[in-house]
Amino acid sequence: FSISGDCFVPNKIKLVVCKDSSAAALDAAGRIAVIVRERSTPVIGLATGSTPETVYAELVRLHREEKLSFRNASTFNLDEYVGLPSTHAQSYRAFMQAHLFSQIDVLPWRTHLLDGTAALPALECEAFEKRILAAGGVDLWLLGIGGNGHIAFNEPGSPVDSRTRIVALTPETIAANSDGRFFSDPAEVPRAALTAGIATIREARRVVLLATGAKKAAAVAAAMKGPFTESCPASLLQDHADCTFVLDEDAASLF
């Protein structure tokens, strides 16, 4: 179904405000570690980008220094650029391999990312959904948030019941990804991506959204305090049974 106007639901999102971005990342990593330790076959949903880098560094530290094992874990990543092979430096597979997978004991065949070079993207997306179901569903999904409230590549207007699919990237998202951190020129940024849908994310048993920095404050405030609306995709987490926003003080500055 699609939401035609602003809807109001009981807001169940839990809020955690940490002193700074490092503390927020450590909090998020700790929540993932609890799941990995408690579950016999944990299933963790992951995000890419600059925000979760410190989360992954802490998980690597926990693995090396505190024997946190990912050997029985499965992982699923939110999205991938269309047209980028897994060996491309800016592919999300390459990002995850560099920042996490190569430094822990997770088994390669249990790390699931969408294939941006799939000849039939729709079938690739359908297969991704089936792999999640086969794994028993996602125990915890780590999310970031875009300046317009997007989660994964679900831009404003994405239906609440959307599944994994191919999407066109907005000019704002293209610009945000060409600021030198990832791509140095907007022309280098792919124009489409494969992304887990809003419904796919909402089906996770637990969601942790990590946001840091003043640039995310308005989006976080809209998601937390605004209406339940497809105009702000992150607001569609308001009725989730177990969703926590982990923020630093800058990202929480509009509360």
Side-chain angles (χ1 to χ4, degrees):
F1 65 98
S2 179
I3 298 171
S4 58
D6 293 344
C7 298
F8 293 87
V9 300
N11 193 333
K12 300 178 181 178
I13 296 174
K14 295 178 285 291
L15 181 63
V16 174
V17 180
C18 302
K19 182 178 180 180
D20 54 31
S21 60
S22 294
L26 294 182
D27 182 283
R31 294 169 188 273
I32 294 171
V34 167
I35 297 294
V36 172
R37 288 190 174 106
E38 288 183 349
R39 305 264 184 183
S40 58
T41 54
V43 181
I44 307 297
L46 301 173
T48 51
S50 56
T51 302
E53 284 184 18
T54 306
V55 175
Y56 299 146
E58 173 63 6
L59 292 177
V60 170
R61 188 197 68 78
L62 290 171
H63 169 67
R64 291 175 174 172
E65 299 180 10
E66 300 185 21
K67 308 304 181 185
L68 179 66
S69 177
F70 295 83
R71 188 165 184 82
N72 294 323
S74 297
T75 67
F76 289 86
N77 268 78
L78 286 167
D79 40 29
E80 181 60 280
Y81 289 115
V82 168
L84 293 192
S86 61
T87 54
H88 191 285
Q90 299 305 330
S91 75
Y92 289 163
R93 166 63 78 173
F95 176 97
M96 293 305 307
Q97 197 66 27
H99 290 281
L100 185 63
F101 297 157
S102 66
Q103 302 182 66
I104 59 175
D105 61 344
V106 67
L107 299 174
W109 55 89
R110 289 183 174 159
T111 61
H112 304 283
L113 283 89
L114 289 151
D115 181 1
T117 63
L120 298 171
L123 291 183
E124 172 66 10
C125 294
E126 182 180 342
F128 185 77
E129 295 271 352
K130 290 180 178 178
R131 289 195 293 271
I132 292 175
L133 289 174
V138 174
D139 292 312
L140 182 152
W141 213 314
L142 176 67
L143 304 178
I145 185 172
N148 61 3
H150 75 248
I151 49 177
F153 279 122
N154 293 287
E155 299 288 353
S158 296
V160 68
D161 61 349
S162 57
R163 312 300 311 192
T164 304
R165 66 203 187 284
I166 187 170
V167 296
L169 301 188
T170 65
E172 293 79 9
T173 295
I174 292 170
N177 284 281
S178 60
D179 62 0
R181 293 174 301 155
F182 307 112
F183 297 92
S184 58
D185 188 320
E188 299 174 355
V189 182
R191 266 39 188 177
L194 304 179
T195 184
I198 300 289
T200 314
I201 295 167
R202 281 165 51 92
E203 287 173 358
R205 284 178 276 278
R206 185 173 300 176
V207 173
V208 174
L209 187 148
L210 175 64
T212 59
K215 291 183 178 179
K216 299 297 178 69
V220 167
M224 282 285 300
K225 298 164 59 178
F228 183 90
T229 173
E230 292 169 357
S231 299
C232 178
S235 75
L236 301 177
L237 300 170
Q238 288 178 3
D239 66 342
H240 193 279
D242 192 346
C243 178
T244 303
F245 279 24
V246 179
L247 315 174
D248 66 0
E249 291 181 353
D250 289 337
S253 60
L254 296 182
F255 285 96

